[in-house]
Amino acid sequence: MNSLKVLLSGILLIIMAGAFKPVFAQQEPDGEVLLNFNYPAVGNVYLNGVFFGDVAFLPLGEVLSLLYIPTERTPSGKGLKGAYPFKNDIWSIDPVTNQLTIKGKSETLEADKYYLGELDLFLHPDYFQRIFGITFTINTYALSVSMKSDFTLPVEERRKREAIRKQLQQRSSQGALAAPMLYDRERKALSLGVLDYNVNYTATNLGNNLGMSFNAGMEFLGGDLQGNYVGNVNNRNLLNNFSGLRWRYVLPGGMTPEKNVGLASISAGQISTTSFTNSANLVGISVTNNPVIPRLDLDVFVIDGTTVPDSEVELLIGGQLVDFTRADEVGYYRFNAPVTYGTVRLSTRIYTPQGEVIMQDRQIQVPFTFLPKGFVGYNIQAGLPQFTLDSLGTSLATHADISYGISNALTVRAGADQGEIFGEKSIYPVFGLSARLFQQYLLNVDALPDRYYRANASVFYADNTSINAQFTEYNPNSAFNFRGQTRDANLNVFYPFKIAGKFSGFRATGERIWFNTGLGVNNYQLDFNTQINRVILRFNYRGGARGFVSDPENPAQNQFGLFTSSLTYTLPRSPGIPVYVRGLFLRGQFRYSTLFDRGESVSFLLSQTLFKNGRFTLGYDKELLRNLSQFQVGFLYDFNSLRTSTQFSKRTKGYAFQQGFSGSVAYDPAGGALIPSNRDQITRSGATVRLFVDTNENGVYDEGEEVVPAKAVRLDRSANILIGSDGILRITQLQSYWKYRLDIDVAALPNPNLAPKLKSFSFVAEPNRFRQIDIPLYQTGIIDGFVLIEKNGVQQGQGGLRLELKREGDSEPFEILRTFSDGSFYAYGLLPGRYMLRVDAKQLEFMQVESVPGELEFEIKALADGDYLEGLNLVLVKKE
């Protein structure tokens, strides 16, 4: 019996030895060493390596962990599996079953290409190349490892995300510390401003014509004043008029959109009523509490959800990262996203621990008709009606409206028009509401008794699908019902999709109009567009009836049907294409009348950029129904000071030549001269920024002081910044009354030792004029000193210490200084301001000493020759 047990035990041991041969019966390595691995996205680390001859096997789990390549354990518990570099590239390595899977294909794992150690599975470098596209090079003499990857590694993408998030946190912390307002609103009784102009000369076979338009703006009595002059010379006769002459005084509350103020602005001159439907032109006065700066934020929208636990979740608004978090242990995440006016695209981007990226989008629309909860807005206008440019009424006309935000998703409004210009009745009331339902559905209702009632609903989905519907019920006796309608309804649907990976779209529009004659018409339009390589195709069909159908015997009167097809092609700007045709734009269009069953017109257009700032166009149009044709050639060029356009057209009967010049000039207070520009500037603002070396240290620019020519400023909003030949920066296309943050880029200054007192400050853009901003620069400061340690009553220099240098008000040091062997230290390039210097607390604790004083405070003064502080000494004494 005992002999039988021994025999069975022996057989069992043989079977087990055979089953676990890969684990226990493998060749032992010649040696195990630590290899130095240095990769930019990983840093400098050490890897365990095992050598078989002169080949180093590397640890699979450790390498993939460092590179953030997601893995899972195989059923045996000894191998790893996953998907890399793409979702369908399945891989698996199992040393127990000797199975290897590469991109979904199985094969045998070669016994001499792996080693199963106590802590990891070591692989031959060839497998890293075959499976992951990673090439390792081992230097056996330096015991180091270098790496090259055929794909962008997850650790690199992670580092990029972390860098972007760090910038986001820095911007948030900078935003929390508001830049001081150095240049607030400065009202002036009279200040020269800007003049926009447009001059157009036309010569045809029938005669010549000269058209002129001048729009001027300035500051007058603390407000912005502007007006427009239009002149036309035809057959030596001059026709001209003035329009839009208006003065507006904006109170401080008009520049704070986040507040609900009692009065924002007062306007006088040629104004228009803010009626919901029919705006009337008046010569009079207007008051409102609505800010001149648009409100940006309306509400806070909660975005939450569940995903894979420990996933990284990013929130993007309009494609820009605004916040990030990590899902908790059950996978829940939550954001509070600010909802702004306009169309807001909210996206969440989820990075799971397995390396999968999940995108979720949603779209929210917030029209400017909405008011924040509890806000009240009003408009009041009164004056004499202006029927034509030189004709005024004699009876007073008034308008008033008021809006109230019941909630951030519901705004109600009411108003009234009074005066003969609005109709026969003495008062015409108006009521309405705007609502946002389920975050993305919009409903707008306008009730105008004795005129009409209108409801509009719309939705805009995250995939850009949009639906808009409107219904109107008219009062047939209303003076505003010009076409004799009783009601109308329309529907607009847009649906995007992809064809062969390219974005395409289909739009359908339908309209139904009922007339008081009992007749009605249907109008509809169908659009389809798609892209094939670089060719964009569009097809459009419009059908229905034009105008008013009044003849019951001929209900098909004014019917039309028009099919339009167009093709556009843009040449790429790749180096292999001749430079003169790179980016060439070509378009062809054909229109076919289904009513007449024949072609209606055909046209061709060629457009090409020339000399960087110019554009050349060449076109041909042919009206097939009337057998008329037109050939045209044109050239537009943007100079820095103006824009010029030239066009010649040759028609079947006659010709036309046009030459136009447009642009603007603005008064520059810094140089006392007129500054030309190729863009309109009325209702806009500008600034002249002068960087100078403040030699006499009085903080203002004095004649003879050195102007520093450098484009070394940045704004927190978009603008045009140009540097003139005099070294002065001129910023244009600013929004009047807006507050801007200006940051000075010290690294962009030509002298690295120059710096301002403040690196950031705010200013208000003045209306219709340039404001002057002078920024004094000074030489940066230098400090030096010693760190001494007291031993046996004798002080001696202590080298190798870390010193933390912080600016006043900062929580973290901006620079770490090191003491030399004699205990000395120094720092240069310090901006003017107050600082604090101390020894690293961890080093003090390790040395069991304390610093006297604990913190050294000092100030770098703004001096033309720079401030130099010496003798900044710290003494280390043993703790008692």
Side-chain angles (χ1 to χ4, degrees):
M1 189 68 177
N2 291 335
S3 300
L4 180 61
K5 289 182 178 179
V6 172
L7 179 61
L8 292 175
S9 299
I11 294 173
L12 182 62
L13 287 174
I14 294 173
I15 294 174
M16 292 178 63
F20 293 97
K21 183 179 179 181
V23 178
F24 299 105
Q26 56 181 345
Q27 182 181 0
E28 291 299 319
D30 298 327
E32 184 172 346
V33 295
L34 284 177
L35 299 172
N36 182 266
F37 176 49
N38 194 327
Y39 192 72
V42 176
N44 191 33
V45 297
Y46 285 96
L47 289 177
N48 286 312
V50 296
F51 274 89
F52 290 90
D54 58 353
V55 178
F57 287 29
L58 299 177
L60 176 64
E62 188 176 357
V63 168
L64 299 186
S65 176
L66 286 172
L67 303 181
Y68 286 93
I69 295 177
T71 63
E72 294 180 14
R73 286 287 176 185
T74 58
S76 69
K78 297 297 183 180
L80 293 175
K81 64 180 180 177
Y84 185 83
F86 306 107
K87 293 173 62 175
N88 296 327
D89 295 334
I90 305 299
W91 64 270
S92 176
I93 304 174
D94 196 325
V96 176
T97 61
N98 274 11
Q99 289 296 311
L100 174 67
T101 303
I102 301 178
K103 294 187 177 181
K105 298 181 179 180
S106 298
E107 58 182 84
T108 301
L109 179 63
E110 299 179 41
D112 59 348
K113 291 291 184 72
Y114 76 92
Y115 170 73
L116 185 58
E118 293 183 1
L119 301 177
D120 211 330
L121 172 62
F122 294 82
L123 286 187
H124 191 286
D126 290 348
Y127 277 139
F128 285 96
Q129 169 58 38
R130 289 185 59 198
I131 301 173
F132 307 105
I134 298 174
T135 303
F136 284 106
T137 303
I138 293 91
N139 187 326
T140 56
Y141 297 100
L143 295 180
S144 63
V145 183
S146 60
M147 184 186 77
K148 180 181 178 182
S149 176
D150 297 338
F151 309 99
T152 301
L153 295 167
V155 66
E156 295 173 322
E157 296 176 343
R158 184 185 181 95
R159 291 290 181 265
K160 291 178 183 178
R161 297 198 302 269
E162 290 175 348
I164 295 173
R165 293 169 185 173
K166 186 176 181 180
Q167 293 176 358
L168 174 65
Q169 290 176 326
Q170 290 175 346
R171 289 198 301 268
S172 300
S173 61
Q174 290 176 356
L177 300 174
M181 177 62 72
L182 293 190
Y183 294 87
D184 207 344
R185 178 79 171 92
E186 183 184 2
R187 301 184 187 274
K188 293 192 175 184
L190 179 64
S191 179
L192 297 180
V194 295
L195 173 70
D196 296 342
Y197 63 87
N198 190 322
V199 180
N200 194 357
Y201 174 76
T202 304
T204 70
N205 55 299
L206 302 177
N208 302 331
N209 182 76
L210 177 64
M212 300 168 290
S213 174
F214 299 96
N215 200 358
M218 61 189 306
E219 185 167 1
F220 179 68
L221 298 179
D224 56 284
L225 175 68
Q226 65 185 57
N228 185 52
Y229 168 81
V230 177
N232 191 284
V233 179
N234 192 350
N235 296 327
R236 298 185 179 180
N237 295 321
L238 175 63
L239 300 176
N240 60 85
N241 62 75
F242 293 90
S243 63
L245 184 61
R246 189 264 302 153
W247 175 82
R248 180 178 61 176
Y249 188 91
V250 178
L251 287 82
M255 296 181 286
T256 54
E258 68 278 3
K259 298 180 181 179
N260 193 200
V261 298
L263 181 61
S265 64
I266 303 173
S267 301
Q270 294 176 305
I271 60 175
S272 297
T273 63
T274 52
S275 301
F276 298 148
T277 54
N278 55 306
S279 177
N281 296 322
L282 306 178
V283 175
I285 190 169
S286 171
V287 296
T288 182
N289 76 328
N290 292 314
V292 297
I293 300 175
R295 293 188 175 98
L296 299 179
D297 295 338
L298 173 71
D299 198 356
V300 174
F301 180 54
V302 176
I303 298 177
D304 61 356
T306 57
T307 184
V308 180
D310 203 38
S311 296
E312 299 177 18
V313 187
E314 295 180 343
L315 174 65
L316 299 92
I317 298 182
Q320 297 294 319
L321 178 67
V322 296
D323 201 359
F324 61 92
T325 188
R326 187 178 291 273
D328 61 17
E329 62 275 5
V330 297
Y332 179 75
Y333 64 89
R334 176 188 174 99
F335 294 105
N336 292 326
V339 176
T340 60
Y341 286 92
T343 300
V344 182
R345 187 177 185 86
L346 301 174
S347 305
T348 52
R349 189 162 52 197
I350 303 172
Y351 300 91
T352 67
Q354 293 76 29
E356 185 180 4
V357 181
I358 304 172
M359 290 290 297
Q360 298 174 348
D361 297 319
R362 64 191 77 187
Q363 203 111 298
I364 299 176
Q365 290 186 93
V366 182
F368 285 91
T369 54
F370 282 84
L371 287 178
K373 181 180 179 180
F375 274 41
V376 177
Y378 70 85
N379 298 281
I380 301 174
Q381 293 98 26
L384 298 178
Q386 186 175 24
F387 300 105
T388 62
L389 294 173
D390 56 357
S391 175
L392 283 177
T394 56
S395 60
L396 184 68
T398 60
H399 165 81
D401 63 71
I402 186 170
S403 302
Y404 176 68
I406 296 179
S407 70
N408 289 329
L410 178 61
T411 297
V412 295
R413 52 189 180 271
D417 295 324
Q418 184 275 326
E420 295 180 356
I421 191 174
F422 297 107
E424 298 178 354
K425 292 192 174 184
S426 58
I427 294 180
Y428 287 90
V430 179
F431 306 96
L433 68 85
S434 296
R436 181 160 48 92
L437 308 174
F438 306 107
Q439 298 297 342
Q440 60 183 350
Y441 296 92
L442 296 179
L443 175 65
N444 192 84
V445 177
D446 290 321
L448 290 77
D450 301 319
R451 303 187 209 179
Y452 66 77
Y453 300 88
R454 174 173 294 163
N456 180 284
S458 64
V459 62
F460 194 6
Y461 294 105
D463 64 353
N464 290 324
T465 298
S466 63
I467 304 173
N468 189 296
Q470 180 175 289
F471 179 80
T472 307
E473 182 75 24
Y474 292 93
N475 183 345
N477 299 321
S478 172
F480 299 97
N481 188 3
F482 303 107
R483 300 175 64 187
Q485 298 171 235
T486 58
R487 65 185 62 89
D488 64 41
N490 60 68
L491 178 68
N492 187 311
V493 178
F494 174 73
Y495 178 71
F497 53 92
K498 287 186 177 180
I499 297 178
K502 298 294 185 179
F503 283 101
S504 305
F506 177 78
R507 182 182 298 277
T509 303
E511 179 187 43
R512 170 69 179 179
I513 304 175
W514 293 266
F515 296 102
N516 53 19
T517 61
L519 300 175
V521 298
N522 297 318
N523 295 320
Y524 53 91
Q525 179 172 314
L526 303 175
D527 269 291
F528 170 75
N529 65 279
T530 188
Q531 182 175 349
I532 303 175
N533 292 326
R534 302 188 65 86
V535 178
I536 298 175
L537 299 172
R538 181 182 178 186
F539 303 97
N540 170 269
Y541 181 77
R542 291 187 300 144
R546 298 185 180 95
F548 173 50
V549 179
S550 58
D551 185 2
E553 301 297 329
N554 184 20
Q557 62 178 301
N558 302 331
Q559 290 290 318
F560 75 98
L562 189 63
F563 175 80
T564 304
S565 62
S566 64
L567 178 150
T568 62
Y569 177 78
T570 304
L571 269 72
R573 297 183 179 274
S574 55
I577 297 177
V579 64
Y580 291 108
V581 293
R582 291 178 191 171
L584 181 69
F585 174 83
L586 298 169
R587 186 186 70 189
Q589 179 175 287
F590 174 72
R591 302 176 70 178
Y592 182 84
S593 173
T594 57
L595 182 65
F596 296 103
D597 198 21
R598 59 176 296 185
E600 185 175 278
S601 67
V602 62
S603 64
F604 302 95
L605 177 68
L606 177 151
S607 181
Q608 172 65 0
T609 300
L610 293 180
F611 314 117
K612 292 185 178 181
N613 296 323
R615 189 137 200 106
F616 171 78
T617 58
L618 182 68
Y620 176 78
D621 297 273
K622 177 74 173 181
E623 290 189 39
L624 302 176
L625 292 179
R626 298 190 297 169
N627 196 27
L628 299 176
S629 61
Q630 174 179 282
F631 171 82
Q632 61 181 18
V633 59
F635 181 70
L636 182 146
Y637 193 84
D638 274 338
F639 296 95
N640 289 332
S641 56
L642 59 87
R643 172 179 295 178
T644 175
S645 63
T646 305
Q647 182 171 298
F648 175 78
S649 301
K650 179 64 177 72
R651 307 184 183 95
T652 303
K653 300 177 181 179
Y655 69 91
F657 171 80
Q658 292 181 320
Q659 176 62 55
F661 297 94
S662 62
S664 67
V665 291
Y667 176 72
D668 176 20
L674 296 178
I675 304 300
S677 173
N678 60 11
R679 301 184 66 179
D680 294 344
Q681 299 188 77
I682 290 295
T683 72
R684 302 292 179 90
S685 177
T688 57
V689 179
R690 179 166 47 196
L691 301 163
F692 69 97
V693 179
D694 189 12
T695 307
N696 57 8
E697 303 166 9
N698 64 351
V700 298
Y701 176 77
D702 297 305
E703 193 69 30
E705 289 184 323
E706 178 187 356
V707 175
V708 179
K711 196 174 180 180
V713 301
R714 295 191 301 266
L715 296 181
D716 60 343
R717 293 187 177 94
S718 61
N720 289 342
I721 304 178
L722 296 175
I723 185 169
S725 58
D726 53 2
I728 297 177
L729 293 173
R730 291 173 176 87
I731 307 176
T732 59
Q733 299 303 305
L734 302 178
Q735 301 291 339
S736 295
Y737 298 107
W738 285 44
K739 183 174 76 172
Y740 289 84
R741 176 190 173 110
L742 186 146
D743 297 309
I744 302 168
D745 184 5
V746 178
L749 294 172
N751 185 345
N753 294 324
L754 289 177
K757 282 185 178 180
L758 289 173
K759 290 184 64 176
S760 302
F761 60 86
S762 298
F763 69 93
V764 173
E766 304 286 14
N768 284 339
R769 68 178 177 91
F770 275 56
R771 82 170 307 158
Q772 182 176 334
I773 297 176
D774 286 333
I775 302 176
L777 302 176
Y778 306 92
Q779 294 287 339
T780 53
I782 301 175
I783 62 169
D784 68 24
F786 286 86
V787 177
L788 306 171
I789 187 168
E790 192 173 276
K791 295 181 178 179
N792 301 323
V794 178
Q795 295 180 352
Q796 62 185 44
Q798 179 64 52
L801 288 177
R802 295 188 299 271
L803 304 181
E804 297 178 351
L805 183 60
K806 295 196 303 182
R807 294 188 183 90
E808 186 179 52
D810 289 353
S811 58
E812 297 294 330
F814 73 92
E815 187 175 356
I816 301 296
L817 307 180
R818 295 278 186 172
T819 59
F820 298 101
S821 58
D822 61 351
S824 65
F825 67 88
Y826 74 92
Y828 62 92
L830 300 182
L831 301 175
R834 299 192 64 85
Y835 294 83
M836 186 275 292
L837 182 72
R838 69 180 181 188
V839 182
D840 186 352
K842 292 183 178 179
Q843 285 190 315
L844 292 178
E845 182 180 1
F846 181 80
M847 297 172 65
Q848 296 185 346
V849 296
E850 59 184 1
S851 173
V852 180
E855 295 180 349
L856 193 62
E857 297 182 352
F858 60 92
E859 180 183 5
I860 297 295
K861 297 180 180 179
L863 303 176
D865 296 327
D867 196 4
Y868 177 58
L869 299 181
E870 56 183 340
L872 300 178
N873 298 334
L874 294 167
V875 180
L876 307 183
V877 297
K878 194 166 186 64
K879 284 185 178 180
E880 297 181 356

